[in-house]
Amino acid sequence: ALRSSLGKDGAQTQRSCKKKQRKLKRAVKSSNKKSSAEKQAAASFAAIHLLHDPHAIAEKLFVEARKSSERFEIRLMMINLASRLIGAHRLQLPNFYPFLQRYLQPHQREITLLLAYLVQACHELVPPEMLQPVLQALVNHFVSDKSRPEMVAIGLNTAREICNRVPLAMDATLLSDLIEYRNDRDRAVVAAARSLLQLFRQRLPALLPKKYRGKGCDLEASPVQ
């Protein structure tokens, strides 16, 4: 009777129950991990906004990162925190961008982190002329016919993220060149170029060649924030 109540094979049904229990435990454990990570992120976000005189802290970190003889990993941590402060508090630290520009080379160690820190330090109060040389350097080193497709895609995506924060960092001639990568053979490059085109259709269509602007665009409108 017991065997028939458990199914054709009682042991198999028991194994199935144990398997479900293990899945449930894993799901609960994963949920707890996510909850803990979210709490830590929230605490970190709150702490960085409660700092007294964030400009002085960012400036001190930047000076230390530039002059320090510490390991590159330690200097990266300083750059990261400085860029987070710049972005979170909308700080003006003009020398920060030329400093990062020196590292914008595809072969640079931890280049994806450095690009992320560059984007992190961009915000709507940064004068566009401060970012234009950096954007041009980024394109020169990453987005060319001689670059590997993955580097071109990284360059285009980084340019998009910078322009999402400061659209006027881009100029019409450079933008026209970049969106032509929609015709590239590499899918990642095509997707990145299309994403850049779509961004400017939404934010600043006046910079696009007329045929790419889309219908009903307002050429007199200011960049959408």
Side-chain angles (χ1 to χ4, degrees):
L2 177 62
R3 180 163 183 163
S4 62
S5 69
L6 290 173
K8 198 169 184 178
D9 187 343
Q12 185 177 3
T13 307
Q14 287 176 337
R15 284 198 301 271
S16 177
C17 288
K18 287 180 180 178
K19 187 177 180 181
K20 287 179 180 178
Q21 287 174 352
R22 286 197 301 271
K23 280 186 176 180
L24 180 59
K25 284 181 181 178
R26 284 199 299 268
V28 171
K29 193 174 181 181
S30 174
S31 176
N32 288 339
K33 279 184 180 178
K34 285 181 181 177
S35 177
S36 176
E38 285 168 0
K39 286 178 182 176
Q40 287 178 355
S44 173
F45 180 80
I48 207 168
H49 278 82
L50 293 173
L51 288 172
H52 174 68
D53 200 355
H55 190 279
I57 298 171
E59 197 161 25
K60 188 173 181 180
L61 280 166
F62 172 53
V63 170
E64 188 66 25
R66 192 168 51 177
K67 296 182 178 179
S68 175
S69 57
E70 292 280 1
R71 297 195 325 271
F72 185 64
E73 291 79 5
I74 304 298
R75 295 172 66 204
L76 272 180
M77 292 170 66
M78 295 177 188
I79 294 168
N80 180 21
L81 183 51
S83 75
R84 286 187 68 192
L85 286 167
I86 292 168
H89 291 276
R90 304 298 190 260
L91 305 177
Q92 300 282 344
L93 217 64
N95 293 330
F96 186 78
Y97 307 100
F99 170 73
L100 284 185
Q101 183 179 329
R102 294 160 38 197
Y103 293 96
L104 300 185
Q105 301 280 350
H107 60 267
Q108 169 65 47
R109 274 174 65 195
E110 304 293 358
I111 184 59
T112 52
L113 286 179
L114 287 162
L115 291 173
Y117 301 159
L118 170 61
V119 170
Q120 197 169 238
C122 295
H123 55 82
E124 68 275 10
L125 300 182
V126 179
E129 57 271 17
M130 202 178 285
L131 292 174
Q132 285 164 356
V134 184
L135 188 59
Q136 186 65 61
L138 172 73
V139 170
N140 289 345
H141 293 304
F142 285 81
V143 188
S144 74
D145 296 336
K146 296 179 181 178
S147 300
R148 300 198 310 273
E150 58 268 28
M151 290 296 110
V152 175
I154 287 172
L156 288 169
N157 284 326
T158 305
R160 182 195 182 281
E161 290 303 317
I162 292 171
C163 293
N164 189 36
R165 291 158 173 78
V166 189
L168 289 172
M170 181 69 74
D171 68 67
T173 304
L174 182 58
L175 179 59
S176 179
D177 291 340
L178 295 181
I179 62 175
E180 289 304 317
Y181 279 88
R182 293 175 303 107
N183 302 316
D184 197 85
R185 289 179 294 181
D186 186 85
R187 287 184 179 182
V189 173
V190 170
R194 286 177 176 172
S195 183
L196 183 64
L197 171 61
Q198 190 60 32
L199 172 74
F200 275 91
R201 276 180 175 164
Q202 295 170 352
R203 302 290 303 276
L204 194 57
L207 273 187
L208 287 166
K210 190 174 181 179
K211 62 180 178 179
Y212 296 129
R213 289 173 185 168
K215 295 180 180 178
C217 69
D218 185 0
L219 300 183
E220 302 298 324
S222 299
V224 180
Q225 298 299 336

